[in-house]
Each structure stands twice: as structure tokens, then as C-alpha cells.
């Protein structure tokens, strides 16, 4: 089990990285311009939009030795939006909400734009 550990004065709290990925994915989906998480098939080079129940496959959560989180997002953005504006919004929103939710500091958020979709 990959988990993040928070040390408190009363003991340790272990948060599964899957829980952090689920929460971060839900926060990301609320951001303007994000259509969804992307599943990247490295072997075939194919990118597909993930359904809401499996969006954690588009997010990679790692914890370094200093107990700081690193998040990698593979996302699909809406056609016609500013990628830099969407990325900045995603980074600031996810950083604030995930740090409040977990009590862990986020060291880095990497965003990989895997595709563009037209939204009706």
C-alpha cells in the first residue's frame, strides 16, 4: 500500500495515495477548461478520456523523503481556452484544496495536456 504519513502529537495518520488522487481529481474536474483526466496508453501512444469513476488513473501521487507531495495530472482541456490560464487555475486550486484536505505540503504539480476536446 502506498500511503502518505502525517505525524501529529497524538499519533500518525496514514492517507492512501489513491484517496489523495481521488480528491485531487474531483477538485481538478471543478476547474474551468478541464474536460477530464486522460488515460495514456504508452505502448500504442493512444490517449483516451477517463470516466469519472476511473479518473485516478490520470493522476500520479508520489511522496518524497521530506513528506511533500508531487502530483502529476494527465488532462484533456476544452477547445478554445487558454492552456496557461487553465493550468495556473488548476495548480492554485488543487494546491490549496489538497493541502487543506491532507495537511501535507505539495512540492510540485506537473500538468500534461494530453488532448483537446470540443465541448457542446
Amino acid at each position: 500500500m502506498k500511503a502518505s504519513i502525517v505525524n501529529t502529537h497524538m499519533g500518525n495518520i496514514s492517507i492512501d495515495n489513491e484517496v489523495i488522487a481521488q480528491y485531487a481529481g474531483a477538485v481538478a474536474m471543478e476547474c474551468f477548461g478541464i474536460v477530464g483526466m486522460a488515460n495514456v496508453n504508452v505502448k500504442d501512444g493512444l490517449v483516451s478520456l477517463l470516466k469519472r469513476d476511473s479518473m485516478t488513473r490520470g493522476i500520479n501521487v508520489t511522496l518524497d523523503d521530506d513528506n511533500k507531495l508531487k502530483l502529476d495530472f494527465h488532462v484533456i482541456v476544452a477547445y478554445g481556452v487558454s492552456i496557461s490560464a487553465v493550468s495556473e487555475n488548476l495548480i492554485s486550486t488543487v494546491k490549496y484544496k489538497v493541502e487543506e484536505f491532507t495537511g501535507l505540503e505539495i512540492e510540485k504539480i506537473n500538468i500534461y495536456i494530453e488532448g483537446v476536446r470540443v465541448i457542446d
Side-chain angles (χ1 to χ4, degrees), residues 24-25 28 37 58-60 71-75 90 94 109-112:
M37 298 298 126
I59 303 170
N60 185 26
L71 302 174
D72 295 331
F73 285 87
H74 296 269
V75 298
L90 177 65
V94 167
I109 297 175
N110 296 314
I111 300 173
Y112 302 94

Side-chain angles (χ1 to χ4, degrees), residues 71-84:
L71 302 174
D72 295 331
F73 285 87
H74 296 269
V75 298
I76 295 176
V77 297
Y79 176 79
V81 298
S82 168
I83 291 177
S84 62

Side-chain angles (χ1 to χ4, degrees), residues 28-99:
M29 290 302 297
E30 295 173 1
C31 293
F32 172 77
I34 300 293
V35 175
M37 298 298 126
N39 183 27
V40 180
N41 186 340
V42 177
K43 184 179 86 170
D44 298 331
L46 298 175
V47 175
S48 60
L49 182 64
L50 292 171
K51 294 183 177 159
R52 195 150 180 84
D53 58 344
S54 61
M55 79 172 92
T56 58
R57 288 189 294 180
I59 303 170
N60 185 26
V61 177
T62 54
L63 186 71
D64 67 8
D65 296 333
D66 297 329
N67 243 13
K68 293 183 181 178
L69 292 172
K70 179 182 150 201
L71 302 174
D72 295 331
F73 285 87
H74 296 269
V75 298
I76 295 176
V77 297
Y79 176 79
V81 298
S82 168
I83 291 177
S84 62
V86 170
S87 298
E88 288 174 14
N89 181 36
L90 177 65
I91 289 170
S92 64
T93 304
V94 167
K95 182 172 175 32
Y96 174 75
K97 289 189 176 183
V98 171
E99 284 181 349

